[in-house]
Every structure is written in C-alpha cells, then in structure tokens.
Amino acid sequence: MKKLKLAVIGYGGMGSYHFDHLLPNEGELFELVGVYDIKEDRQTLATEKGLKAYGSRDELLADPEIDCILIATPNDSHKEIAIAALEAGKQVVSEKPVTMNAAEMREIMAVAEQTGQVFMVHQNRRWDPDYLIVKELMNSGAIGDVFQIESRVHGANGIPGDWRRLKQHGGGMLLDWGIHLLDQIMWMVDSPLKSIEADFSTILGEECDDGYITYLTFENGLRVITEVGTTNYIRLPRWYVKGTQGTAEVTDWDLSGKMVVATNADVAAPTPIQAGVGLTKTMAPPSEAATKTLPLPKGLQLPQSFYQNFYDVIVNDGVPIVKNEEVLKVMELIDHIFEIVEKSN
Ligand code: NAD
C-alpha cells in the first residue's frame, strides 16, 4: 500500500494533536514529513521531533514529495491556505470550522472541483462515542420516536487562548464548538430545517460570543437545542433525549448515563407527593412497575476512522464520510445564526 506523505500548516495545539495522537494510528497509510508554522518555537519543536520545518508555506507547497496538507491554523486563514494547497496539486484536510462563512467554503469547493484534488474537513466529532449513542437511539426506537434532543457542552474557563477571542480570526464559541454540535445534529436528522432561533452569550465582555444557544425545529417535528457555555460552573448533561417511550441521558464524554423507558404495564396512578409547600400528582415519580432503567446502547460504529476515509477517498475514489456539501450546509446555518443574532441586537 502506498503511503501518502503529509505535512501540516499550523503546528499549534491541534496540528500537533494530529501528529502525536491521530496520524500515528494510521502509520501504514500516512508518513508525517514536515511542518510550516509562522512561530519560530513551533518550527524548532517540529525539528526536535524529527520533522522537516519548511522555511515558508510556498516552499512546503512546492515540495513534490508532499502529497497531503493538513491545515490547522486559526480559522480566518483556512480558505487562502486551502486554495493555495489545492492549486499546488495537494490533497487537503482542513480543520473546522472550514471557513469564516459559507461563501468562502463555496470558493474552496470550486477550486477542488477545478483541480480534481480531494478536500475534506476534519469534523471529527462525528466519531464521538457519546454522539454515536444518540445517533443509535434515533434509529433504534429504544426510547420510541425521538421528539426532542438537547446537546450541550459546558465549561467554566471562558474563551481559551488568544485568537479565539477575536472576530477577525473567526473567534467565538459558535464557530469553535457550535460547528461541531450543529454538524452532529445535521448529520443525524433526516428532515429539512423548518425554523431557527438563536441567542449569544457575551457575559465575559469579549468581542466574540462566549457561548450561544440555538433552538432548531425540523419539518418532522423534532425540536433540538444546542448550547455552548463557558461560564457554567455546574454542567448540564452532554445529551438529554426525549422519545415517546422514554428518556435518555448521556451525562458526559465518559459515556455515563442511562435510559428510563415506559413498561406500559397496567399500573395504578401515581400517588401525590409533597413538593415544596404544595402537593403534586403530575410531578410524582412513576411507580417502579411503570418504568425500567436500562444502560445506554453501545452506539453506532463508523466503518473507517477519519484518516482511513481520507486515504480511501484519495487512493480508491471512496466515498467521504464528511461530505463537502454537508459542511457547506452547516456553514450556511452558521451564517443564518449570525444574521438572526445581529438582527435581534
Ligand atoms: P493554536 O493557536 O494552538 O495553533 C495555531 C497555530 O497556527 C499556531 O502555532 C500559529 O503560530 C500557527 N499559524 C497561525 N497563522 C499561520 C499561518 N498563516 N501559517 C502557518 N502557521 C500559522 O490553535 P489550535 O487550537 O491548534 O486551532 C487551530 C485550528 O484547529 C482551528 O481552526 C481550530 O478551530 C481547530 N481545532 C479543531 C479541533 C477539533 O477537535 N477538530 C480542536 C481544536 C482546534
């Protein structure tokens, strides 16, 4: 099997994560060759790790030895680098968010079409086990027909780093984490979007959103909340999913959680409980016979890792798991969310 030689532009946090954690698993498919980073200390680190540090981006792109480029720079530079790399005859992976907006993604897609080179976006959270559990719940009917999904990531560290706080670099949590949450939902729901409501959090006084919330309604009636927060000292569950026959919670990335489903047994009506200073039958817990608590399913498995799939698309003309048309659709949704929030201010 021919190994493809890969170099990274932008050897920061994520660029080095690809090199240290993702690509070594695919050592039969890819050989890691070199890097180009505008920061001297990152170039030095690369050479210490036995990689070639190219003197400039153009020098890297002109190297005929390099088959593939990974782009892991701040978001505002992805488009220009992607187009230059495609035009240099390279196969290209870009980190998410692919671009600042949908128009930029269309420009890249046009160049990929003209050059015939592969361009794929690292929407790696399609492989997250917590997400694949929810995707299975959607398909399996284990909690009946799913009619509401709440997908949240909550932290209490504010917006990390430097460029993520700045609009000109594509900062803010909608572009940073929202792109993952929305991509997951759009890849799971087989129904057109009917309506979108959205709001940003700017509690930290940064120029970019430090969190956001969206309410999506699909034509099949499914309601989805996605939320990112960076000022949440107590987290809500990663996923809360309601179906006509039960409720599931995936509490965290450690896959803790459970399903509680109706037994549909013929049971007596719940007896009222004391609630605060009042009495309630409506909110009384169901009797033991009325529900059963089950472990979460194992979750769907994807047939290939991201990089196995990237290789397959390049070498065998395989079908991409992350399709550019899907990425474009999510970027259009992101554009729309920015418009909604702008109009409401
Ligand atoms: P970072 O700041 O840690 O690293 C970015 C690196 O790019 C820095 O070393 C910087 O010097 C370098 N750089 C900046 N402009 C450059 C240019 N024009 N040419 C060459 N190098 C340049 O940021 P990061 O956290 O690694 O994020 C990089 C990208 O990866 C972002 O698009 C981010 O959204 C994405 N990311 C994805 C995931 C994921 O799970 N898929 C996780 C983290 C980051």
Side-chain angles (χ1 to χ4, degrees), residues 9-14 36-39 42 72-75 78 95-97 122 124 163-164 176 180:
I9 299 182
Y11 190 56
M14 198 55 186
Y36 171 64
D37 195 294
I38 50 170
K39 284 189 189 146
R42 303 307 294 179
T73 54
N75 305 337
H78 293 179
E95 259 308 338
K96 52 50 59 174
H122 190 233
N124 51 327
W163 61 265
R164 277 184 175 77
D176 193 47
H180 285 304

Side-chain angles (χ1 to χ4, degrees), residues 179-192:
I179 190 86
H180 285 304
L181 302 195
L182 294 166
D183 179 70
Q184 289 180 330
I185 295 299
M186 297 302 278
W187 199 51
M188 180 157 64
V189 181
D190 190 17
S191 175

Side-chain angles (χ1 to χ4, degrees), residues 8-298:
V8 63
I9 299 182
Y11 190 56
M14 198 55 186
S16 47
Y17 183 78
H18 279 260
F19 270 38
D20 295 340
H21 297 279
L22 302 180
L23 284 156
N25 298 332
E26 319 294 353
E28 288 183 2
L29 307 180
F30 293 96
E31 183 184 337
L32 315 183
V33 177
V35 315
Y36 171 64
D37 195 294
I38 50 170
K39 284 189 189 146
E40 203 48 50
D41 59 326
R42 303 307 294 179
Q43 298 272 86
T44 308
L45 179 68
T47 49
E48 283 167 8
K49 290 196 171 189
L51 299 164
K52 176 169 177 180
Y54 289 84
S56 69
R57 187 180 90 193
D58 288 348
E59 187 192 328
L60 188 161
L61 294 182
D63 184 346
E65 284 284 292
I66 304 290
D67 303 297
C68 312
I69 300 290
L70 161 67
I71 304 169
T73 54
N75 305 337
D76 57 319
S77 52
H78 293 179
K79 182 195 93 172
E80 197 219 329
I81 298 172
I83 289 176
L86 289 166
E87 285 176 342
K90 310 300 182 193
Q91 320 285 359
V92 180
V93 173
S94 172
E95 259 308 338
K96 52 50 59 174
V98 62
T99 46
M100 302 282 275
N101 50 49
E104 288 190 354
M105 175 57 178
R106 280 189 211 101
E107 284 184 58
I108 297 177
M109 286 167 74
V111 177
E113 179 81 30
Q114 280 156 22
T115 59
Q117 301 301 116
V118 172
F119 178 77
M120 274 177 68
V121 182
H122 190 233
Q123 289 295 160
N124 51 327
R125 293 195 177 277
R126 290 190 185 190
W127 280 261
D128 273 1
D130 56 281
Y131 166 65
L132 292 171
I133 287 174
V134 176
K135 204 163 153 66
E136 181 174 340
L137 284 174
M138 279 287 282
N139 296 343
S140 70
I143 55 169
D145 290 336
V146 172
F147 61 88
Q148 184 172 322
I149 299 176
E150 301 181 18
S151 168
R152 295 188 170 85
V153 289
H154 281 167
N157 302 312
I159 305 177
D162 41 18
W163 61 265
R164 277 184 175 77
R165 295 160 188 235
L166 301 173
K167 274 189 185 164
Q168 81 178 99
H169 292 303
M173 286 299 117
L174 177 63
L175 281 170
D176 193 47
W177 259 101
I179 190 86
H180 285 304
L181 302 195
L182 294 166
D183 179 70
Q184 289 180 330
I185 295 299
M186 297 302 278
W187 199 51
M188 180 157 64
V189 181
D190 190 17
S191 175
L193 249 183
K194 192 172 151 196
S195 69
I196 310 164
E197 291 160 62
D199 194 16
F200 279 178
S201 160
T202 50
I203 204 80
L204 297 172
E206 306 277 0
E207 63 178 48
C208 296
D209 67 289
D210 56 53
Y212 80 87
I213 186 161
T214 60
Y215 302 88
L216 310 177
T217 305
F218 291 85
E219 277 180 14
N220 64 4
L222 177 72
R223 286 276 282 169
V224 177
I225 295 174
T226 78
E227 184 188 7
V228 176
T230 57
T231 54
N232 298 66
Y233 291 87
I234 298 174
R235 296 174 178 202
L236 288 173
R238 172 70 189 85
W239 297 92
Y240 180 76
V241 185
K242 286 168 71 173
T244 48
Q245 287 297 309
T247 304
E249 176 181 303
V250 186
T251 314
D252 215 333
W253 286 296
D254 64 5
L255 309 186
S256 54
K258 63 184 177 194
M259 294 191 291
V260 177
V261 295
T263 57
N264 297 318
D266 197 7
V267 290
T271 42
I273 55 161
Q274 180 81 30
V277 294
L279 199 65
T280 176
K281 192 158 42 171
T282 321
M283 298 304 160
S287 76
E288 266 186 36
T291 60
K292 58 185 174 189
T293 300
L294 300 172
L296 292 166
K298 285 206 175 345

